Amino acid sequence: TAYHRAFELLSFQNTGTREAIRAQLKKISEEALMDETALRLVSVEELYHFFGSGLAGRMRRAEEAGKLYKECQFVMGIPARRMGVADSDELVLIQGIIDAWFEEDDGLVIVDYKTDRIAEGEEQTLIDRYRIQLAYYAKALSQIAGKQVKETVIYSMALQREIVV
């Protein structure tokens, strides 16, 4: 929860140094936008590593273009038959919050931050655990935005890298 809130509030601009990230976190604290206990759980080193990633670079460019969106809530209905839960066309409501998504020239990209404690080589565990969730996110976002989702990405805080699903 702490990392999700930090990612929601942090600008992708001016994140090239640990000091710049600390300054943003200090401002968040001064403006009481995040609980102090939660702020202490967020590692500047892990944030710095994330902001140096290729994924964060793509997100930074999208933010500059006004095409980065964070913490987007959605609700959608899916016929029970399509979900395999009943032989009915009655709608099952699915709701969620997409951590972040952005638009590139050739489509939309969904980003899901994960703090699950996994070891190197266990990437498939995350993919298996969250594949269906991300598929629903992609379906919802395509309906909402009217554009194709070209990529879904998990950013593992434990592994400090992106995993394309």
Side-chain angles (χ1 to χ4, degrees):
T1 303
Y3 276 98
H4 283 83
R5 181 71 173 149
F7 282 128
E8 177 185 5
L9 296 171
L10 288 166
S11 169
F12 279 69
Q13 310 306 310
N14 196 22
T15 55
T17 66
R18 290 167 185 84
E19 293 73 29
I21 294 167
R22 278 190 198 95
Q24 282 199 57
L25 292 172
K26 182 178 181 198
K27 185 175 181 197
I28 288 168
S29 173
E30 290 169 353
E31 294 177 3
L33 297 173
M34 194 169 163
D35 179 80
E36 287 299 322
T37 304
L39 268 171
R40 284 193 293 275
L41 297 173
V42 175
S43 163
V44 170
E45 193 60 34
E46 287 182 356
L47 292 174
Y48 176 73
H49 195 276
F50 167 75
F51 283 116
S53 72
L55 176 63
R58 292 168 68 192
M59 295 172 80
R60 184 176 302 107
R61 286 187 294 280
E63 184 179 68
E64 288 168 355
K67 295 181 178 185
L68 173 65
Y69 307 91
K70 303 176 187 178
E71 296 297 316
C72 297
Q73 295 183 3
F74 71 89
V75 176
M76 72 175 184
I78 297 179
R81 180 176 287 111
R82 286 205 3 234
M83 292 184 70
V85 296
D87 187 21
S88 168
D89 286 325
E90 195 162 329
L91 292 182
V92 175
L93 290 180
I94 305 243
Q95 65 180 7
I97 300 173
I98 299 171
D99 293 341
W101 66 275
F102 59 96
E103 185 175 352
E104 293 181 323
D105 291 341
D106 58 343
L108 308 178
V109 179
I110 293 175
V111 179
D112 200 26
Y113 308 116
K114 295 297 181 193
T115 57
D116 304 47
R117 295 290 165 205
I118 63 165
E120 193 69 40
E122 296 179 345
E123 296 83 356
Q124 192 62 45
T125 300
L126 283 179
I127 293 169
D128 293 343
R129 193 175 291 162
Y130 297 109
R131 180 187 317 272
I132 292 172
Q133 173 190 348
L134 290 169
Y136 285 132
Y137 285 8
K139 182 170 182 52
L141 184 56
S142 288
Q143 288 178 357
I144 293 165
K147 296 183 180 181
Q148 187 65 33
V149 172
K150 69 171 186 168
E151 187 177 355
T152 56
V153 180
I154 291 172
Y155 187 85
S156 169
M157 295 305 294
L159 298 177
Q160 287 284 279
R161 73 164 186 267
E162 62 193 82
I163 302 164
V164 176
V165 179

